[in-house]
């Protein structure tokens, strides 16, 4: 069996493949490592680029665009490896980036998944929004990271170089045990894209698995290559999927109260966009909530199954405060500032 499979999901990313695949191939030379590109039925020249310019890369052709979540589920069914790495197509990796993650996973069998330190491709001394140095979540479902709280992104000065448990590891560069991935059902394909890795990580943590960030491994992520920040489609997916994730995973005693607060907070967000004259994002929030209520009955069985499988009801990396209150009102907009208050 292959030790590590690096799997890049691609859709019409011909230019990004040419730009970033060379670093992945050159820096993933460890014995037992194979690089795959899983193509979501691209209509550009992506497949031809892989076959002609990168013959060492294994190409998986999917029959249609399944999105991020289901695309990976279907691709990983065709991969046999101890560890699989879900790697975005807009990531530049560094020499030896896999080595420390594999070594940690080999020596910590209770750890299901890990991520490297994620830095910005364009501003290389800064953390990158989508993952930074490991992810956490507040009581109401708002994710944040060591190095990024809402839109405040910190400079990397080595302040978050310790290996620590995290609540979620970014889907931009996620190493996970293939056996565990399949056991817990993989990513939820109904999410299509956004929040699906946090939902997966919540299931992993609630079942007692550990998740960590390995900062000695680092990569550089462009970010926003598929949907730009505050794109209404991205807003819709983030709000809808976040609500679905909460419904699937919240302990029974928290569900009603958290959902009431989220209703209020979601409409506050819509009001902020309204005051900015951004009608498209106001509509996206409202449509997301409407779609959540329409889809919720379809996730009832998933919720029952998740709660039945739970062995860790209180997860330490899910902090019991409101991130909006602490960051937006109190001004504690870095992980370090939050940590000083609550630990």
């Amino acid at each position: 069996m292959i030790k590590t499979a690096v799997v890049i999901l691609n859709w019409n990313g011909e230019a990004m493949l040419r730009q970033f695949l060379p670093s992945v191939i050159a820096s993933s030379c460890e014995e037992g490592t194979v690089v795959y590109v899983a193509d979501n039925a691209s209509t550009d020249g992506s497949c031809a680029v892989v076959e002609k310019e990168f013959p060492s890369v294994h190409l998986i052709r999917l029959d249609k665009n399944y999105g991020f979540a289901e695309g990976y589920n279907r691709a990983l069914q065709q991969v046999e490896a101890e560890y699989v790495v879900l790697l975005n197509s807009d990531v530049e990796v560094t020499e030896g980036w896999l080595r420390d993650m594999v070594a940690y996973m080999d020596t910590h069998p209770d750890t299901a998944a890990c991520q490297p330190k994620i830095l910005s491709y364009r501003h290389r001394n800064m953390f990158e929004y989508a993952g930074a140095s490991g992810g956490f979540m507040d009581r109401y479902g708002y994710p944040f990271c060591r190095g990024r709280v809402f839109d405040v992104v910190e400079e990397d000065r080595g302040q978050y170089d310790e290996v620590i448990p995290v609540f979620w590891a970014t889907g931009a560069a996620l190493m996970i045990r293939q056996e565990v991935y399949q056991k817990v059902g993989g990513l939820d394909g109904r999410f299509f894209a956004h929040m699906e890795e946090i939902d997966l990580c919540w299931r992993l943590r609630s079942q007692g698995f550990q998740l960590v960030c390995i900062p000695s491994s680092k990569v550089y992520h462009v970010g926003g290559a598929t949907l730009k920040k505050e794109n209404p489609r991205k807003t819709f997916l983030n709000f809808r999927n976040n609500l679905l994730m909460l419904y699937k995973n919240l302990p029974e005693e928290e569900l009603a109260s958290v959902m009431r607060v989220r209703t209020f907070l979601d409409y506050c967000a819509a009001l902020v966009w309204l005051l900015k004259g951004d009608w498209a994002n106001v509509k996206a929030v409202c449509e997301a909530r409407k779609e959540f209520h329409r889809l919720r009955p379809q996730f009832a069985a998933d919720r029952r199954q998740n709660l039945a499988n739970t062995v860790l009801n209180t997860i330490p990396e899910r902090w019991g405060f409101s991130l909006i209150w602490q960051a937006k009102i109190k001004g504690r907009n870095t992980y370090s500032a939050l940590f000083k208050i609550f630990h």
Side-chain angles (χ1 to χ4, degrees), residues 207 248 299-310:
Q207 293 182 36
K248 286 177 63 180
F299 288 80
D302 299 85
R303 172 171 174 77
R304 288 193 296 270
Q305 186 65 49
N306 290 345
L307 294 183
N309 291 335
T310 295

Side-chain angles (χ1 to χ4, degrees), residues 23-322:
S23 82
V24 177
I25 296 169
S27 300
S28 306
C29 299
E30 284 79 3
E31 184 178 352
T33 300
V34 176
V35 178
Y36 291 79
V37 167
D39 188 76
N40 251 333
S42 293
T43 56
D44 65 357
S46 292
C47 291
V49 166
V50 174
E51 291 177 328
K52 294 177 181 178
E53 300 180 25
F54 305 103
S56 67
V57 173
H58 295 239
L59 179 63
I60 299 172
R61 293 175 180 261
L62 302 176
D63 61 337
K64 67 178 183 179
N65 182 8
Y66 288 98
F68 183 91
E70 188 61 19
Y72 264 119
N73 287 342
R74 290 177 179 261
L76 295 189
Q77 289 172 3
Q78 303 181 47
V79 173
E80 292 186 5
E82 182 176 358
Y83 306 129
V84 290
V85 181
L86 284 57
L87 185 69
N88 278 17
S89 58
D90 59 344
V91 172
E92 178 189 282
V93 303
T94 61
E95 181 64 32
W97 71 292
L98 291 172
R99 193 176 306 124
D100 288 351
M101 291 196 293
V102 169
Y104 189 93
M105 298 283 277
D106 280 349
T107 55
H108 294 78
D110 60 335
T111 297
C114 65
Q115 69 158 79
K117 180 195 295 185
I118 314 287
L119 299 171
S120 170
Y121 179 77
R122 296 188 180 93
H123 307 284
R124 297 172 82 84
N125 63 325
M126 305 294 291
F127 286 104
E128 207 279 313
Y129 184 93
S133 199
F136 300 83
M137 197 170 71
D138 82 339
R139 174 175 169 80
Y140 301 106
Y142 291 91
F144 62 102
C145 307
R146 287 195 302 174
R148 189 273 297 175
V149 174
F150 287 124
D151 293 336
V152 177
V153 179
E154 296 179 60
E155 180 182 1
D156 175 25
R157 305 184 305 277
Q159 70 271 41
Y160 302 128
D161 276 357
E162 180 185 0
V163 176
I164 65 167
V166 298
F167 184 82
W168 58 273
T170 176
L174 172 66
M175 174 178 282
I176 187 168
R177 298 181 192 274
Q178 168 76 309
E179 182 181 4
V180 174
Y181 183 93
Q182 300 300 338
K183 177 183 177 182
V184 301
L187 298 167
D188 191 327
R190 295 165 294 183
F191 280 33
F192 191 78
H194 298 295
M195 295 287 168
E196 66 288 306
E197 80 268 42
I198 305 181
D199 171 66
L200 170 61
C201 290
W202 196 337
R203 280 180 276 140
L204 291 170
R205 281 300 283 127
S206 70
Q207 293 182 36
F209 292 104
Q210 290 287 332
L211 307 164
V212 299
C213 176
I214 313 291
S216 58
S217 169
K218 65 180 180 180
V219 302
Y220 296 91
H221 184 210
V222 174
T226 305
L227 290 176
K228 303 300 182 183
K229 183 183 174 185
E230 295 197 351
N231 176 294
R233 175 63 176 167
K234 185 172 184 177
T235 298
F236 169 82
L237 289 171
N238 271 323
F239 275 75
R240 184 199 69 177
N241 292 350
N242 190 274
L243 292 169
L244 290 171
M245 175 186 70
L246 288 169
Y247 176 68
K248 286 177 63 180
N249 296 288
L250 277 171
E252 190 63 38
E253 61 271 17
E254 291 189 66
L255 181 63
S257 61
V258 168
M259 286 306 197
R260 280 196 298 270
V261 173
R262 273 304 301 269
T263 299
F264 172 75
L265 293 175
D266 286 356
Y267 285 117
C268 284
L271 178 61
V272 171
W273 271 311
L274 178 64
L275 295 174
K276 293 179 179 179
D278 189 346
W279 287 97
N281 274 305
V282 173
K283 181 179 178 182
V285 173
C286 296
E287 289 296 323
R289 293 198 56 84
K290 180 180 177 181
E291 183 73 354
F292 161 67
H293 287 291
R294 186 183 74 81
L295 292 176
R296 185 171 59 182
Q298 300 177 26
F299 288 80
D302 299 85
R303 172 171 174 77
R304 288 193 296 270
Q305 186 65 49
N306 290 345
L307 294 183
N309 291 335
T310 295
V311 299
L312 186 64
N313 209 39
T314 301
I315 300 172
E317 300 82 27
R318 178 176 167 243
W319 293 10
F321 59 74
S322 166

